[in-house]
Amino acid sequence: MDYSTYRLSFPDGTYYIGSTQNTYDRFQVHKSKCKSKTHGNHKLQTAWTTFGNPDLQILNSYSTREEAFEAEQEILNEFYGTEECLNLSSSSKPFWKAEEHKARMSAILKGKPKSAELIS
């Protein structure tokens, strides 16, 4: 099965970069979450709420997930942190697996008591 890197482009020049095994299904997930105002990426959510559906561009196709991750990472290495890039992480890994997210969550959770089910 093919994997691809994709770009969601908005009229103001902002964009989101991603990779997936099924671009159409992934776009529908973004669309559904943005429509219900529950998308985890607040920058993408704001752009979608402001402009509506973005243009979906498939940038390239790959044979493996790893190749797609590598291609996405190359793009993020160049554009993450610019005003136009809406990605919240500099990593092509799923956001909740990225080291910067893990570190941020660890800092938030330090000192909080653990619930009984987590202790046992």
Side-chain angles (χ1 to χ4, degrees):
M1 183 154 282
D2 285 342
Y3 296 84
S4 62
T5 52
Y6 64 92
R7 177 179 162 143
L8 303 178
S9 300
F10 294 93
D12 67 344
T14 59
Y15 56 85
Y16 173 86
I17 301 295
S19 61
T20 187
Q21 186 171 17
N22 186 320
T23 308
Y24 175 79
D25 285 352
R26 185 66 182 123
F27 182 74
Q28 293 307 314
V29 169
H30 284 304
K31 184 177 181 177
S32 174
K33 288 184 177 191
C34 285
K35 188 175 180 181
S36 65
K37 296 185 177 10
T38 60
H39 203 287
N41 180 326
H42 65 280
K43 292 179 180 181
L44 180 60
Q45 178 69 66
T46 299
W48 207 301
T49 300
T50 303
F51 300 109
N53 288 353
D55 289 332
L56 170 63
Q57 302 161 309
I58 296 175
L59 302 175
N60 214 336
S61 294
Y62 304 92
S63 300
T64 67
R65 181 75 176 128
E66 291 74 26
E67 290 174 318
F69 271 147
E70 284 179 26
E72 180 184 357
Q73 188 62 59
E74 285 181 23
I75 297 167
L76 291 175
N77 287 346
E78 186 171 349
F79 296 105
Y80 175 76
T82 64
E83 284 185 32
E84 295 82 16
C85 183
L86 300 176
N87 292 66
L88 295 180
S89 174
S90 62
S91 175
S92 63
K93 292 180 183 173
F95 183 70
W96 58 91
K97 292 183 181 179
E99 290 304 316
E100 64 193 68
H101 177 70
K102 287 186 206 175
R104 191 169 33 243
M105 290 307 294
S106 177
I108 290 169
L109 296 173
K110 278 190 188 211
K112 291 191 176 186
K114 293 182 173 51
S115 64
E117 66 264 10
L118 291 178
I119 295 171
S120 34

